[in-house]
PDB file of all heavy atoms in Angstrom:
ATOM      1  N   LYS D 128     -12.039  24.240 -19.710  1.00  0.00           N
ATOM      2  CA  LYS D 128     -13.168  23.318 -19.843  1.00  0.00           C
ATOM      3  C   LYS D 128     -12.814  22.177 -20.807  1.00  0.00           C
ATOM      4  O   LYS D 128     -13.159  21.028 -20.577  1.00  0.00           O
ATOM      5  CB  LYS D 128     -14.405  24.074 -20.326  1.00  0.00           C
ATOM      6  CG  LYS D 128     -15.636  23.524 -19.655  1.00  0.00           C
ATOM      7  CD  LYS D 128     -16.839  24.386 -19.717  1.00  0.00           C
ATOM      8  CE  LYS D 128     -18.012  23.535 -19.209  1.00  0.00           C
ATOM      9  NZ  LYS D 128     -19.302  24.037 -19.631  1.00  0.00           N
ATOM     10  N   CYS D 132     -13.272  18.622 -19.455  1.00  0.00           N
ATOM     11  CA  CYS D 132     -14.507  17.998 -19.958  1.00  0.00           C
ATOM     12  C   CYS D 132     -14.241  17.084 -21.155  1.00  0.00           C
ATOM     13  O   CYS D 132     -14.793  15.982 -21.225  1.00  0.00           O
ATOM     14  CB  CYS D 132     -15.524  19.056 -20.368  1.00  0.00           C
ATOM     15  SG  CYS D 132     -16.365  19.853 -18.989  1.00  0.00           S
ATOM     16  N   GLN D 133     -13.406  17.545 -22.107  1.00  0.00           N
ATOM     17  CA  GLN D 133     -13.151  16.718 -23.290  1.00  0.00           C
ATOM     18  C   GLN D 133     -12.393  15.449 -22.910  1.00  0.00           C
ATOM     19  O   GLN D 133     -12.652  14.363 -23.430  1.00  0.00           O
ATOM     20  CB  GLN D 133     -12.372  17.506 -24.356  1.00  0.00           C
ATOM     21  CG  GLN D 133     -12.210  16.754 -25.687  1.00  0.00           C
ATOM     22  CD  GLN D 133     -13.559  16.381 -26.307  1.00  0.00           C
ATOM     23  OE1 GLN D 133     -14.431  17.224 -26.463  1.00  0.00           O
ATOM     24  NE2 GLN D 133     -13.742  15.096 -26.621  1.00  0.00           N
ATOM     25  N   ARG D 135     -12.652  13.872 -20.110  1.00  0.00           N
ATOM     26  CA  ARG D 135     -13.627  12.947 -19.508  1.00  0.00           C
ATOM     27  C   ARG D 135     -14.494  12.301 -20.591  1.00  0.00           C
ATOM     28  O   ARG D 135     -14.768  11.094 -20.522  1.00  0.00           O
ATOM     29  CB  ARG D 135     -14.487  13.678 -18.463  1.00  0.00           C
ATOM     30  CG  ARG D 135     -15.445  12.761 -17.755  1.00  0.00           C
ATOM     31  CD  ARG D 135     -16.006  13.313 -16.448  1.00  0.00           C
ATOM     32  NE  ARG D 135     -16.860  12.291 -15.862  1.00  0.00           N
ATOM     33  CZ  ARG D 135     -18.180  12.254 -16.009  1.00  0.00           C
ATOM     34  NH1 ARG D 135     -18.806  13.233 -16.651  1.00  0.00           N
ATOM     35  NH2 ARG D 135     -18.874  11.267 -15.489  1.00  0.00           N
ATOM     36  N   LEU D 136     -14.904  13.106 -21.592  1.00  0.00           N
ATOM     37  CA  LEU D 136     -15.704  12.559 -22.699  1.00  0.00           C
ATOM     38  C   LEU D 136     -14.935  11.452 -23.429  1.00  0.00           C
ATOM     39  O   LEU D 136     -15.496  10.409 -23.773  1.00  0.00           O
ATOM     40  CB  LEU D 136     -16.064  13.661 -23.705  1.00  0.00           C
ATOM     41  CG  LEU D 136     -17.222  14.593 -23.359  1.00  0.00           C
ATOM     42  CD1 LEU D 136     -17.378  15.653 -24.449  1.00  0.00           C
ATOM     43  CD2 LEU D 136     -18.527  13.800 -23.193  1.00  0.00           C
ATOM     44  N   LEU D 139     -15.061   8.370 -21.285  1.00  0.00           N
ATOM     45  CA  LEU D 139     -16.424   7.808 -21.266  1.00  0.00           C
ATOM     46  C   LEU D 139     -16.697   7.049 -22.570  1.00  0.00           C
ATOM     47  O   LEU D 139     -17.410   6.046 -22.572  1.00  0.00           O
ATOM     48  CB  LEU D 139     -17.467   8.919 -21.079  1.00  0.00           C
ATOM     49  CG  LEU D 139     -17.602   9.505 -19.669  1.00  0.00           C
ATOM     50  CD1 LEU D 139     -18.467  10.772 -19.711  1.00  0.00           C
ATOM     51  CD2 LEU D 139     -18.204   8.487 -18.696  1.00  0.00           C
ATOM     52  N   ILE D 164     -16.154  19.899 -11.295  1.00  0.00           N
ATOM     53  CA  ILE D 164     -17.537  19.632 -10.886  1.00  0.00           C
ATOM     54  C   ILE D 164     -18.472  19.736 -12.107  1.00  0.00           C
ATOM     55  O   ILE D 164     -19.272  18.837 -12.367  1.00  0.00           O
ATOM     56  CB  ILE D 164     -17.981  20.604  -9.766  1.00  0.00           C
ATOM     57  CG1 ILE D 164     -17.131  20.381  -8.510  1.00  0.00           C
ATOM     58  CG2 ILE D 164     -19.475  20.452  -9.465  1.00  0.00           C
ATOM     59  CD1 ILE D 164     -17.276  21.456  -7.431  1.00  0.00           C
ATOM     60  N   GLU D 165     -18.304  20.827 -12.860  1.00  0.00           N
ATOM     61  CA  GLU D 165     -19.158  21.043 -14.049  1.00  0.00           C
ATOM     62  C   GLU D 165     -19.001  19.939 -15.081  1.00  0.00           C
ATOM     63  O   GLU D 165     -19.949  19.604 -15.793  1.00  0.00           O
ATOM     64  CB  GLU D 165     -18.778  22.379 -14.731  1.00  0.00           C
ATOM     65  CG  GLU D 165     -19.320  23.614 -14.042  1.00  0.00           C
ATOM     66  CD  GLU D 165     -18.663  24.892 -14.583  1.00  0.00           C
ATOM     67  OE1 GLU D 165     -18.292  24.927 -15.779  1.00  0.00           O
ATOM     68  OE2 GLU D 165     -18.502  25.843 -13.788  1.00  0.00           O
ATOM     69  N   CYS D 166     -17.804  19.376 -15.186  1.00  0.00           N
ATOM     70  CA  CYS D 166     -17.551  18.329 -16.191  1.00  0.00           C
ATOM     71  C   CYS D 166     -18.102  16.970 -15.746  1.00  0.00           C
ATOM     72  O   CYS D 166     -18.030  16.000 -16.505  1.00  0.00           O
ATOM     73  CB  CYS D 166     -16.057  18.221 -16.485  1.00  0.00           C
ATOM     74  SG  CYS D 166     -15.375  19.686 -17.289  1.00  0.00           S
ATOM     75  N   GLY D 167     -18.644  16.885 -14.538  1.00  0.00           N
ATOM     76  CA  GLY D 167     -19.331  15.668 -14.090  1.00  0.00           C
ATOM     77  C   GLY D 167     -18.499  14.744 -13.219  1.00  0.00           C
ATOM     78  O   GLY D 167     -18.867  13.585 -12.993  1.00  0.00           O
ATOM     79  N   LYS D 269     -21.905  10.365 -13.716  1.00  0.00           N
ATOM     80  CA  LYS D 269     -22.697  11.438 -14.350  1.00  0.00           C
ATOM     81  C   LYS D 269     -22.430  11.475 -15.859  1.00  0.00           C
ATOM     82  O   LYS D 269     -21.354  11.069 -16.304  1.00  0.00           O
ATOM     83  CB  LYS D 269     -22.338  12.779 -13.693  1.00  0.00           C
ATOM     84  CG  LYS D 269     -22.798  12.835 -12.233  1.00  0.00           C
ATOM     85  CD  LYS D 269     -22.271  14.052 -11.518  1.00  0.00           C
ATOM     86  CE  LYS D 269     -22.562  13.917 -10.014  1.00  0.00           C
ATOM     87  NZ  LYS D 269     -21.543  14.563  -9.198  1.00  0.00           N
ATOM     88  N   PRO D 270     -23.425  11.951 -16.603  1.00  0.00           N
ATOM     89  CA  PRO D 270     -23.209  12.025 -18.051  1.00  0.00           C
ATOM     90  C   PRO D 270     -22.084  12.976 -18.431  1.00  0.00           C
ATOM     91  O   PRO D 270     -21.742  13.869 -17.649  1.00  0.00           O
ATOM     92  CB  PRO D 270     -24.558  12.533 -18.595  1.00  0.00           C
ATOM     93  CG  PRO D 270     -25.362  12.968 -17.431  1.00  0.00           C
ATOM     94  CD  PRO D 270     -24.747  12.434 -16.186  1.00  0.00           C
ATOM     95  N   GLY D 271     -21.504  12.760 -19.588  1.00  0.00           N
ATOM     96  CA  GLY D 271     -20.434  13.637 -20.056  1.00  0.00           C
ATOM     97  C   GLY D 271     -20.969  15.028 -20.379  1.00  0.00           C
ATOM     98  O   GLY D 271     -22.160  15.206 -20.645  1.00  0.00           O
ATOM     99  N   VAL D 272     -20.091  15.998 -20.316  1.00  0.00           N
ATOM    100  CA  VAL D 272     -20.480  17.395 -20.593  1.00  0.00           C
ATOM    101  C   VAL D 272     -19.581  17.916 -21.716  1.00  0.00           C
ATOM    102  O   VAL D 272     -18.357  17.851 -21.620  1.00  0.00           O
ATOM    103  CB  VAL D 272     -20.298  18.259 -19.320  1.00  0.00           C
ATOM    104  CG1 VAL D 272     -20.597  19.725 -19.612  1.00  0.00           C
ATOM    105  CG2 VAL D 272     -21.153  17.736 -18.173  1.00  0.00           C
ATOM    106  N   ALA D 273     -20.216  18.425 -22.774  1.00  0.00           N
ATOM    107  CA  ALA D 273     -19.431  18.964 -23.884  1.00  0.00           C
ATOM    108  C   ALA D 273     -18.709  20.234 -23.444  1.00  0.00           C
ATOM    109  O   ALA D 273     -19.297  21.053 -22.718  1.00  0.00           O
ATOM    110  CB  ALA D 273     -20.341  19.246 -25.068  1.00  0.00           C
ATOM    111  N   PRO D 274     -17.455  20.408 -23.834  1.00  0.00           N
ATOM    112  CA  PRO D 274     -16.716  21.597 -23.389  1.00  0.00           C
ATOM    113  C   PRO D 274     -17.215  22.869 -24.084  1.00  0.00           C
ATOM    114  O   PRO D 274     -17.794  22.801 -25.123  1.00  0.00           O
ATOM    115  CB  PRO D 274     -15.270  21.311 -23.786  1.00  0.00           C
ATOM    116  CG  PRO D 274     -15.329  20.287 -24.852  1.00  0.00           C
ATOM    117  CD  PRO D 274     -16.603  19.510 -24.653  1.00  0.00           C
TER     118      PRO D 274
END
Side-chain angles (χ1 to χ4, degrees):
K128 217 163 170 200
C132 284
Q133 187 59 52
R135 183 162 183 264
L136 280 177
L139 285 169
I164 296 168
E165 282 168 31
C166 294
K269 293 171 190 148
V272 176

